[in-house]
Amino acid sequence: MQQNTPTSDAQPYINIAAYKFITFDDTTAKRPLFLAFCQQHNLRGTIILSPEGINLFLAGQRADIDAFLHWLRADPRFADLQVKESLSAHQPFNRMLVKLKAEIITMKHPLIKPEDGRAPFVEAKMLKRWLDQGHDDNGKPVVMVDTRNAFEVDVGTFDNTIDYRINKFTEFPQVIADHQAELNDKTVVTFCTGGIRCEKAAIHMQNIGYDSVYQLEGGILKYFEEVGGDHYKGDCFVFDYRTALNPQLQETATVQCFACRAVVTPREQLSPAYVAGKSCPHCAPENNANPAADATATA
């Protein structure tokens, strides 16, 4: 089990992200229990319950987060649940949601069941060593494949990563099948924010014939926690009001536009087109009418 991240007066909130693929056939009965416990402990965020497992993003005070994890792990199905932690000065979520869904991460490939057997994984420190030396331990070149959506990739990703510019994860299976021939002589490492998407992605790639594919254990957040920012450029988009974390797992000045949901960098926030809560250089009417203005604002 991971060690607790120490809080401070300046950063009193613990943010946790976790998932587990496991048969979870009583989600309807468990939903009100999850919601009640979280509300009693002043936790906010989102928990997704599905027949294939659990996926959660929560934030709260240290004692309340610990109480939740102790309560959840009392269920034998989640006794070994691993979480990734970061700190924040403010509560990054504005409400507590517990949702019932068919999948904890939607791929629309029901035959992919990580519970039945995971794809091989590479831990952060080993991946860094591979990237340092330019090949895996068998001498094969290592290629990083980003399984996230295009707007997330734009905030930051690994050096020389393959980015297929997908708009939703359900597009990934076809895209990766279309490019199999050009990747078959390489060791492919799939990655995402916290590990859940790349876990499904790697299994799918094995199923269609990739013979050397790994998932990055714990995703980018675990890589930041254990290795820092080596071989990574930019920040990591997260799905809460912090918007992005740097390799020190600290909140950055990057924001999301309230109007169009585009990611707006600190430089773009200097543009006259950026009005907090109303518009940004990606959606402001004057910029849509004048592409040159947008290019200047985002250069």
Side-chain angles (χ1 to χ4, degrees), residues 11-299:
Q11 292 185 302
Y13 285 93
I14 298 288
N15 304 274
I16 62 170
Y19 72 93
K20 186 178 181 182
F21 289 101
I22 192 73
T23 298
F24 196 3
D25 52 12
D26 55 343
T27 57
T28 300
K30 290 291 188 181
R31 181 182 179 274
L33 302 181
F34 271 84
L35 185 59
F37 189 95
C38 291
Q39 290 176 336
Q40 290 166 7
H41 287 267
N42 300 307
L43 299 176
R44 296 182 188 174
T46 299
I47 299 175
I48 297 173
L49 308 180
S50 160
E52 71 173 7
I54 189 171
N55 188 18
L56 62 88
F57 299 88
L58 291 178
Q61 300 289 323
R62 173 87 268 170
D64 295 313
I65 289 290
D66 288 347
F68 171 79
L69 291 174
H70 179 77
W71 174 78
L72 179 59
R73 289 170 176 153
D75 184 327
R77 293 171 295 188
F78 305 111
D80 59 351
L81 183 80
Q82 297 295 306
V83 306
K84 293 164 284 292
E85 292 190 353
S86 61
L87 302 176
S88 61
H90 307 286
Q91 169 61 260
F93 300 101
N94 64 1
R95 55 183 174 169
M96 184 66 231
L97 299 173
V98 181
K99 300 180 179 180
L100 302 181
K101 291 193 173 183
E103 300 176 76
I104 56 175
I105 183 68
T106 303
M107 195 180 196
K108 295 184 179 179
H109 276 251
L111 295 180
I112 296 177
K113 296 181 178 180
E115 180 187 5
D116 293 341
R118 305 184 69 200
F121 63 84
V122 58
E123 294 184 345
K125 292 179 181 178
M126 180 175 288
L127 176 61
K128 179 185 179 300
R129 179 164 59 79
W130 286 0
L131 296 177
D132 286 344
Q133 64 195 25
H135 55 79
D136 68 10
D137 293 336
N138 295 318
K140 293 182 69 172
V142 174
V143 174
M144 304 295 293
V145 172
D146 204 323
T147 66
R148 299 173 300 159
N149 298 336
F151 76 91
E152 299 172 73
V153 180
D154 290 342
V155 176
T157 191
F158 282 94
D159 295 337
N160 304 312
T161 197
I162 295 176
D163 165 25
Y164 291 119
R165 311 307 295 169
I166 63 175
N167 294 310
K168 52 187 177 180
F169 188 50
T170 52
E171 298 173 7
F172 182 83
Q174 186 61 55
V175 169
I176 203 65
D178 292 343
H179 292 84
Q180 183 172 350
E182 63 200 59
L183 296 175
N184 259 345
D185 61 342
K186 300 174 176 64
T187 288
V188 179
V189 178
T190 63
F191 68 93
C192 58
T193 307
I196 186 170
R197 279 176 281 189
C198 56
E199 182 152 354
K200 275 194 170 182
I203 292 174
H204 172 72
M205 292 170 70
Q206 279 193 319
N207 288 348
I208 64 174
Y210 280 84
D211 60 5
S212 184
V213 58
Y214 296 82
Q215 57 188 307
L216 173 58
E217 182 77 341
I220 298 167
L221 296 180
K222 180 59 70 173
Y223 187 90
F224 282 177
E225 180 182 330
E226 295 190 354
V227 176
D230 288 352
H231 302 287
Y232 192 96
K233 289 183 179 176
D235 304 316
C236 179
F237 180 88
V238 290
F239 288 91
D240 60 52
Y241 282 96
R242 295 173 297 170
T243 303
L245 302 181
N246 63 24
Q248 292 73 47
L249 294 174
Q250 298 168 336
E251 182 178 356
T252 72
T254 300
V255 300
Q256 241 185 330
C257 176
F258 180 83
C260 72
R261 309 311 297 163
V263 175
V264 188
T265 67
R267 183 176 180 84
E268 290 172 328
Q269 292 169 41
L270 299 176
S271 166
Y274 177 68
V275 180
K278 294 184 178 180
S279 66
C280 75
H282 300 274
C283 68
E286 60 269 27
N287 282 339
N288 292 334
N290 182 6
D294 183 60
T296 301
T298 60

